[in-house]
Amino acid sequence: MTQSLNYFKETPSQTAGPYVHIGCTPNFSGLNGVFSEDLGVKILNDQAEGTRITVRGVVYDGKGAPIKDALVEIWQADAKGLFNSPSEIRGAADPNFSGWGRCPGEMESGEFVFETIKPGVVPFKDGRPMAPHITFWIVARGINIGLHTRMYFPEEIDANAADPILSRIDHKSRVPTLIATQNGSEYRFDIHLQGDNETVFFDI
Amino acid sequence: MSNEKRAQGAFFQRDRNWHAPAYTPTYKTSVLRSPQKALLSLDNSISEMTGPVFGHNQIGELDNDLILNFSQNGELPVGERIIVHGRVMDERGLPVKGALLELWQANAGGRYRHKKETYLAPLDPNFGGCGRTITDDNGDYHFRTIKPGPYPWPNGVNDWRPAHIHFSVFGDGFAQRLITQMYFEGDPLIWKCPIVQTIPSEEAVRQLIAPLDMGNTIPMDSLAYKFDIVLRGRRSTMFDNRREGN
Ligand SMILES: [Fe+2]
């Protein structure tokens, strides 16, 4: 006999279902008058430091159809690479930038849009720099457990090549699934749940 | 160990055999929405160990009271009045304070207040179906609501969802992000539900079934159900020398 570890099991995930918007973005779904505003709508205010960018995309299913009931959340560092989080111990992040955004897919097109800033560099646990990136979390009807992934920036060619996470991907042909396309300050990051372009999702 | 130190380590890896797999063909929508390639397994970086904080100032006074937060002209929603309460803790049993909980549910007849909802059960003019709250220093939370009804859904020819409340949970790190559903003790529909059956073990399903909590009922007013939520625990940081050279 040994002592018990006395750890609990994590509560099992269940799908967000078709009506996740009622709970997470009720004003968006037309359920007005309960919450003053939906959380995660605004990531920054006018005083936030950094380069303004827009990130758009669509989550596609295995037949290439846009998913219209998805909810997408992002989490990222500020322009200096610091997180606005109690767990951030490296310094004080920009108080004008929350780093967290939440957007439901538009009900007809499925497109999500985030108005944010380009994040700075965050160190990996061994001190090597990670290329600038935005963490994504995706839930929808039919997704049993939320999907984690990252968006990287196409102009960061050298930093991406040295990134400790991207370099962990065995099939180099899959790396581009994590890199947005750019048009000025607009970035496009489509997410494919299946198929040849299936996005690399993380068990992290 | 102080809470401050505890909020810094990497999270325990997720037990993917405890959770539902992505591909669960008896829940048909998962067929085209399940990644088919292997996930990339990684230890957390700072990007996942950190997470946003939510303040009580963002939450309204009635946000956790679904009996009153959509009531029109002081009229109350139809249905069994219940309290849903519990504790958010991590896998080490430590309370998660400041966790954001958001919930949504159907009304007593099993109807959601949503544009795309077509079930013939009527809307309740006094029930919206959404609530949110933040856990206190002990990780405790409470909501007041009405018990949702079961409802049929298009999957098999005759599939019904057991009565359930959807929960979205935000701990203190983004890697803990979780959405789940709470079921009610004694509901025979639980074990017939294709969405419940995506979870591999009966033991794990039981973790989603809230028992009736007579001790916390309010006599002549409301029944109570207790629903504890466990988020991923953090590793101790004692021999971690990461974050040097920043
Ligand atoms: Fe539901």
Side-chain angles (χ1 to χ4, degrees):
Chain A
M1 287 293 285
T2 65
Q3 292 187 7
S4 167
L5 284 169
N6 285 326
Y7 293 149
F8 292 86
K9 296 302 290 183
E10 187 187 9
T11 297
S13 173
Q14 289 262 266
T15 179
Y19 304 126
V20 60
H21 307 129
I22 294 176
C24 292
T25 55
N27 291 297
F28 165 85
S29 78
L31 176 48
N32 299 297
V34 183
F35 300 159
S36 51
E37 66 168 7
D38 294 340
L39 295 174
V41 168
K42 262 185 86 103
I43 306 175
L44 72 174
N45 65 31
D46 292 346
Q47 278 93 57
E49 290 174 42
T51 308
R52 266 53 177 177
I53 61 170
T54 304
V55 176
R56 294 173 190 277
V58 170
V59 184
Y60 291 101
D61 73 10
K63 283 276 182 212
I67 293 182
K68 297 172 184 176
D69 51 33
L71 181 79
V72 178
E73 291 184 357
I74 62 169
W75 174 237
Q76 64 166 96
D78 68 9
K80 293 198 170 83
L82 295 168
F83 288 95
N84 198 334
S85 168
S87 305
E88 174 61 86
I89 55 171
R90 299 169 299 148
D94 181 352
N96 298 306
F97 181 71
S98 79
W100 177 69
R102 170 187 274 171
C103 189
E106 200 273 324
M107 283 199 190
E108 296 309 317
S109 68
E111 188 175 71
F112 58 81
V113 185
F114 294 102
E115 303 292 344
T116 183
I117 55 121
K118 185 173 173 182
V121 169
V122 176
F124 193 51
K125 55 190 177 177
D126 60 8
R128 280 184 292 164
M130 293 192 283
H133 62 273
I134 298 176
T135 293
F136 274 68
W137 186 75
I138 302 118
V139 292
R141 180 171 66 100
I143 295 177
N144 289 329
I145 182 164
L147 299 169
H148 283 270
T149 189
R150 282 186 181 184
M151 178 195 119
Y152 285 84
F153 292 82
E155 68 276 18
E156 298 282 345
I157 296 168
D158 294 342
N160 289 345
D163 181 79
I165 303 292
L166 292 179
S167 51
R168 281 284 309 278
I169 299 172
D170 280 343
H171 297 90
K172 295 304 165 206
S173 62
R174 299 193 66 204
V175 171
T177 68
L178 301 187
I179 300 178
T181 55
Q182 183 185 16
N183 182 2
S185 65
E186 293 253 343
Y187 291 86
R188 179 150 206 99
F189 184 58
D190 289 329
I191 293 163
H192 299 269
L193 299 186
Q194 297 178 352
D196 289 345
N197 293 322
E198 182 178 314
T199 302
V200 176
F201 297 105
F202 298 172
D203 170 26
I204 195 162
Chain B
M1 188 183 290
S2 77
N3 181 63
E4 201 166 326
K5 189 175 176 192
R6 178 161 59 80
Q8 290 165 15
F11 290 98
F12 293 177
Q13 69 184 72
R14 215 162 216 161
D15 182 352
R16 296 267 166 187
N17 297 319
W18 184 251
H19 290 282
Y23 177 73
T24 48
T26 52
Y27 173 27
K28 293 180 181 177
T29 315
S30 75
V31 171
L32 285 174
R33 296 183 172 198
S34 43
Q36 294 174 325
K37 298 184 168 64
L39 301 177
L40 179 65
S41 291
L42 299 162
D43 197 15
N44 294 166
S45 75
I46 300 172
S47 300
E48 297 80 31
M49 286 187 261
T50 52
V53 66
F54 298 95
H56 291 274
N57 60 337
Q58 290 168 283
I59 305 291
E61 208 177 315
L62 293 179
D63 284 5
N64 71 340
D65 189 346
L66 286 75
I67 286 182
L68 293 183
N69 74 16
F70 201 79
S71 122
Q72 312 296 316
N73 310 317
E75 289 178 24
L76 299 177
V78 172
E80 289 178 45
R81 297 162 60 88
I82 60 171
I83 289 164
V84 176
H85 76 106
R87 174 167 294 180
V88 181
M89 63 184 114
D90 71 10
E91 288 167 290
R92 304 170 78 166
L94 298 165
V96 182
K97 62 180 182 183
L100 173 70
L101 296 179
E102 297 161 291
L103 63 75
W104 64 102
Q105 63 167 86
N107 68 24
R111 170 75 185 262
Y112 283 97
R113 186 173 284 280
H114 192 280
K115 290 170 190 160
K116 293 185 177 175
E117 157 77 289
T118 55
Y119 183 34
L120 53 80
L123 285 170
D124 182 330
N126 297 303
F127 191 72
C130 63
R132 60 188 183 186
T133 192
I134 292 178
T135 58
D136 66 18
D137 285 350
N138 297 318
D140 290 338
Y141 75 89
H142 57 273
F143 287 95
R144 187 166 73 156
T145 186
I146 55 95
K147 189 176 177 188
Y151 58 86
W153 59 297
N155 185 62
V157 173
N158 186 25
D159 282 333
W160 290 73
R161 295 304 324 281
H164 62 278
I165 299 177
H166 297 264
F167 275 77
S168 166
V169 191
F170 236 115
D172 45 37
F174 203 64
Q176 286 176 313
R177 198 72 182 83
L178 183 74
I179 281 183
T180 190
Q181 301 183 27
M182 177 197 118
Y183 303 98
F184 293 85
E185 176 184 0
D187 186 342
L189 291 170
I190 294 172
W191 305 102
K192 301 181 195 300
C193 173
I195 287 177
V196 171
Q197 287 167 358
T198 62
I199 297 173
S201 73
E202 186 182 317
E203 191 189 359
V205 170
R206 291 193 184 284
Q207 203 178 349
L208 299 181
I209 305 174
L212 178 66
D213 177 6
M214 283 304 286
N216 271 300
T217 59
I218 303 176
M220 308 303 288
D221 184 328
S222 301
L223 287 171
Y225 287 85
K226 182 161 177 285
F227 185 55
D228 291 334
I229 295 168
V230 181
L231 300 179
R232 293 169 70 180
R234 287 187 191 259
R235 274 205 317 260
S236 303
T237 53
M238 45 216 172
F239 288 103
D240 259 343
N241 58 1
R242 61 184 170 75
R243 297 189 191 181
E244 284 176 5
N246 168 40

